[in-house]
Amino acid sequence: MTSNNAQTVSLTLAHINDTHSYFEPSSLQLSLNIDGQTLSPYVSAGGFARIATRAEQLKQQALQQNKGFLFLHAGDCFQGTLYFSLFKGKANADMLNALDIDAMALGNHELDMGNEPVARFLQRIQFPLLAGNWDVSQESAKKSIRVSDSENLVPYQPLTQHAGWITKQVQGTPIAIFSLALDKMADISNPDQDTPFLNAIEVAKATVRAIQASGVNNIILLSHLGYEADLDLAQQVTGIGVIVGGHSHRLQGDFSDLGLTKDDDYGQYVNQTYVVQAGYHSLSMGHCHITFNQDGKVIDFNGKNELLLGRRLCLDATLADTHQDDFHAKASEYLRQHPHVVICKKAPKLHNILLEKYIPKVRQLQETVVAKSDYPLRHIRIPDQNGPSVLAPLVAESFTFMMRKQGYEVDFAIHNAGGVRASLNPGKITIADIAGKLLPFAVPIGVYEIKGQYLAAILEGAINNALNNGVTGTGSGSYPYTHNLDFDYLPDNPIGHRIGNLHIRLQDGLWHAIESERLYKGTSSAYTMKGKEGYDAILNMHKYGKVTYFSMSDCFVEFLQSNPQRILQPIEKYR
């Protein structure tokens, strides 16, 4: 259906994706060839304050050219840095509000900790969060806070069976924007079980039909499906002018003469749809100038990704002193003239939000000491001749500690070795050491009940997977470390009979043999509870487990603050 007022419309579309809480600039090393000399300068790259500056420049240029302007975020603003580990989305809302985006797609990492952080995020944001294949219509009324109660969420519409969309008026002509996320979201993230995701292709087809039936032909899909899935969707679904993508961290364009990637050209054209994506971690920004004709086809497209840099660069001091200034000037000029680089200042408004609201708190927490150790705290995935990980069992113990503190009657904890990312040196242990190095992923902790007969299968499956013992494993990260469980692994036994002498320490402080039909209460990360990497037996849990709002680092920080001497005590027999 063609709208009665359909006409050609031109606009500048700016976009970012996978910013992952990288609000401050990053130090980035480039590789430049200047007069036959390879230079490797460090530059200050990206950050939200530079993104704001560049977006405002593009907006003003569009206004001067009598064009419209849209600014979109293709998902995954959560996770990544201490700004998320410590503030769980509050800083993200403040910074994105100040960036003045028109809309954002829901990404998979937004749901790493379940629906609750997204619901709180929705209460704070001043822009629509698009989630067109997320059905929240059956979300439980018993929750204290629900995503489905927010007017800022634009989800799936079950009655009409298509995505919700927003309409932006550009030069008096409507442009519809809808969003899709990975339909296998439950496999890689932690949406609540009462809010499922639907098939992206089918929802896309139905939504394009509904938008066109409403009299709007100009359609933009804000996607968090991943680059290859975007190309595939463009091939299968007609009627979408531009797909603005995320998830794959693809920086389209040739950045090889900066020592970075050479990717597909910006704006891949598939079945009359342009597909764009703009990198990751707030280093870069994409923009394109597009014109829709009256039928919603993009008849003019021109754009690129740009690396956003500060003015200063730091050269390696190995260059001869007499040539240092000369090379520095030439390298600076090379970057200023580069077609994929924009030198831009930090927007004061965005920079001041960080300076006034968040940087002082982050710096304070970076200096907050929760414990001290007189010796190295070693982490190793699979025990070797020097023993097992010292840290992983303590992390597992912290899960039990935190869940009991929240009122859950937990008997044991199991944690995969890959969930701990580093060893710790002797000396002071700060919150930043824990949230930024040891447990940098804000993965939530859950609780569950399971019959004793399955505990041996959980442990064996994880170890078999880690050791490639009779199975094709996925890596050493699955090796299980436990609290209040004790067992022997018998590698030469047949599969299914490799765990012996399995005991559990209950609330009475005594060790008991596992009873096959008894329900025991456990705690693990939400990732482990999904049954991945050899943990499939955990899916035999009684009914459904519950994922809490507390991350791994939350648990370990609280544990050490309450028990600072625990790391100085002997580690018992942990497997």
Side-chain angles (χ1 to χ4, degrees):
M1 176 178 176
T2 302
S3 172
N4 293 331
N5 64 347
Q7 60 184 30
T8 298
V9 58
S10 297
L11 70 147
T12 296
L13 171 61
H15 59 100
I16 52 178
N17 56 274
D18 299 277
T19 51
H20 286 301
S21 312
Y22 277 77
F23 305 131
E24 295 187 69
S26 300
S27 178
L28 183 66
Q29 188 174 26
L30 304 178
S31 180
L32 315 177
N33 188 305
I34 307 293
D35 293 346
Q37 173 84 45
T38 298
L39 306 181
S40 302
Y42 284 92
V43 293
S44 175
F48 268 42
R50 289 199 179 103
I51 288 173
T53 294
R54 185 58 179 146
E56 183 60 27
Q57 290 172 351
L58 292 167
K59 183 177 182 178
Q60 292 305 316
Q61 290 171 11
L63 290 173
Q64 291 168 8
Q65 296 166 7
N66 223 15
K67 294 180 178 178
F69 179 78
L70 290 175
F71 187 11
L72 304 175
H73 189 307
D76 271 6
C77 72
F78 279 18
Q79 296 284 18
T81 73
L82 284 173
Y83 287 105
F84 184 76
S85 301
L86 300 176
F87 302 112
K88 303 293 191 302
K90 184 177 184 297
N92 300 74
D94 285 347
M95 295 299 288
L96 287 165
N97 285 340
L99 211 52
D100 198 24
I101 59 176
D102 288 290
M104 175 180 150
L106 179 78
N108 55 291
H109 283 293
E110 271 72 76
L111 285 163
D112 279 350
M113 302 189 72
N115 287 19
E116 185 175 335
V118 179
R120 297 188 184 280
F121 179 69
L122 284 162
Q123 288 181 331
R124 296 184 177 109
I125 60 175
Q126 298 163 3
F127 52 86
L129 180 65
L130 310 185
N133 58 330
W134 193 20
D135 186 356
V136 301
S137 61
Q138 301 301 312
E139 191 174 25
S140 172
K142 295 180 180 179
K143 295 178 183 178
S144 60
I145 181 171
R146 306 193 309 167
V147 295
S148 54
D149 289 335
S150 175
E151 294 181 357
N152 285 327
L153 183 68
V154 185
Y156 180 72
Q157 305 297 306
L159 294 179
T160 47
Q161 299 186 329
H162 57 69
W165 69 83
I166 62 171
T167 302
K168 305 293 287 188
Q169 293 291 328
V170 177
Q171 297 178 330
T173 300
I175 295 178
I177 306 169
F178 75 102
S179 177
L180 297 169
L182 296 132
D183 42 39
K184 302 293 186 184
M185 185 70 80
D187 290 346
I188 65 168
S189 195
N190 296 294
D192 291 0
Q193 292 175 341
D194 54 4
T195 55
F197 283 77
L198 285 74
N199 181 274
I201 296 289
E202 296 307 314
V203 172
K205 291 177 179 177
T207 305
V208 170
R209 288 195 298 268
I211 292 172
Q212 291 174 339
S214 76
V216 178
N217 291 323
N218 308 314
I219 302 174
I220 295 172
L221 168 59
L222 191 55
S223 162
H224 200 82
L225 298 170
Y227 188 62
E228 298 300 331
D230 287 343
L231 297 175
D232 181 59
L233 187 144
Q235 189 66 56
Q236 295 192 52
V237 183
T238 59
I240 299 171
V242 182
I243 298 176
V244 179
H247 185 58
S248 301
H249 294 200
R250 296 289 288 263
L251 182 63
Q252 287 178 319
D254 187 357
F255 290 78
S256 57
D257 55 357
L258 298 174
L260 304 177
T261 61
K262 181 178 181 179
D263 207 310
D264 292 344
D265 290 342
Y266 179 86
Q268 290 293 294
Y269 191 57
V270 179
N271 191 25
Q272 299 188 338
T273 297
Y274 287 94
V275 177
V276 298
Q277 193 168 144
Y280 60 98
H281 292 181
S282 308
L283 296 170
S284 51
M285 181 174 174
H287 65 86
C288 47
H289 309 292
I290 58 180
T291 299
F292 288 98
N293 70 6
Q294 63 180 6
D295 298 319
K297 181 181 177 181
V298 175
I299 57 172
D300 184 50
F301 178 96
N302 180 38
K304 60 182 175 179
N305 280 323
E306 296 172 333
L307 197 63
L308 307 180
L309 303 183
R311 291 185 301 106
R312 296 174 182 159
L313 58 85
C314 180
L315 282 178
D316 193 324
T318 56
L319 288 173
D321 290 341
T322 53
H323 299 292
Q324 183 86 16
D325 291 343
D326 187 39
F327 276 118
H328 187 283
K330 289 183 177 180
S332 297
E333 182 61 22
Y334 181 86
L335 292 177
R336 275 195 295 271
Q337 298 298 323
H338 197 283
H340 292 308
V341 169
V342 173
I343 308 297
C344 50
K345 297 179 180 179
K346 300 172 186 174
K349 178 182 176 182
L350 272 290
H351 190 54
N352 287 340
I353 291 173
L354 282 181
L355 284 176
E356 295 170 7
K357 293 187 67 172
Y358 293 108
I359 288 178
K361 294 177 182 177
V362 169
R363 301 292 183 260
Q364 179 185 357
L365 290 170
Q366 286 174 327
E367 298 168 359
T368 300
V369 176
V370 295
K372 297 179 182 179
S373 176
D374 297 328
Y375 53 86
L377 296 170
R378 178 175 181 257
H379 175 59
I380 189 169
R381 291 187 170 187
I382 298 174
D384 60 12
Q385 66 273 16
N386 295 315
S389 170
V390 172
L391 285 166
L394 290 173
V395 171
E397 184 176 349
S398 77
F399 297 173
T400 304
F401 169 84
M402 189 66 147
M403 292 301 96
R404 286 179 176 174
K405 188 172 181 179
Q406 303 308 312
Y408 299 103
E409 296 179 357
V410 172
D411 299 315
F412 69 90
I414 301 176
H415 188 42
N416 63 305
V420 180
R421 307 301 293 181
S423 300
L424 293 177
N425 294 321
K428 299 176 180 178
I429 301 171
T430 66
I431 291 176
D433 290 328
I434 295 169
K437 299 175 184 177
L438 184 71
L439 302 165
F441 303 115
V443 176
I445 302 307
V447 292
Y448 52 93
E449 288 185 294
I450 194 163
K451 284 186 177 181
Q453 62 181 299
Y454 299 116
L455 290 177
I458 295 169
L459 297 166
E460 181 183 329
I463 299 175
N464 288 344
N465 182 83
L467 301 179
N468 293 310
N469 188 6
V471 301
T472 302
T474 57
S476 58
S478 69
Y479 194 90
Y481 283 93
T482 67
H483 178 62
N484 285 346
L485 290 177
D486 186 51
F487 60 93
D488 295 317
Y489 179 71
L490 309 169
D492 297 325
N493 279 10
I495 287 181
H497 302 278
R498 291 175 175 169
I499 299 297
N501 200 29
L502 177 57
H503 286 75
I504 187 168
R505 182 167 53 191
L506 297 175
Q507 299 275 11
D508 59 10
L510 302 176
W511 289 94
H512 301 264
I514 293 292
E515 299 175 35
S516 178
E517 292 299 312
R518 178 171 175 173
L519 280 173
Y520 295 96
K521 298 178 176 66
T523 177
S524 299
S525 73
Y527 179 81
T528 299
M529 288 170 63
K530 288 184 178 298
K532 305 284 187 182
E533 300 192 67
Y535 283 91
D536 46 294
I538 206 170
L539 298 177
N540 292 302
M541 65 181 67
H542 180 62
K543 295 183 180 179
Y544 301 109
K546 175 179 174 57
V547 174
T548 74
Y549 186 61
F550 299 96
S551 70
M552 297 186 294
S553 60
D554 290 336
C555 295
F556 200 52
V557 167
E558 185 82 11
F559 175 65
L560 288 186
Q561 285 180 324
S562 301
N563 304 276
Q565 298 302 309
R566 183 67 185 91
I567 60 171
L568 304 177
Q569 297 167 3
I571 302 298
E572 299 178 13
K573 183 183 178 185
Y574 290 104
R575 299 292 177 164

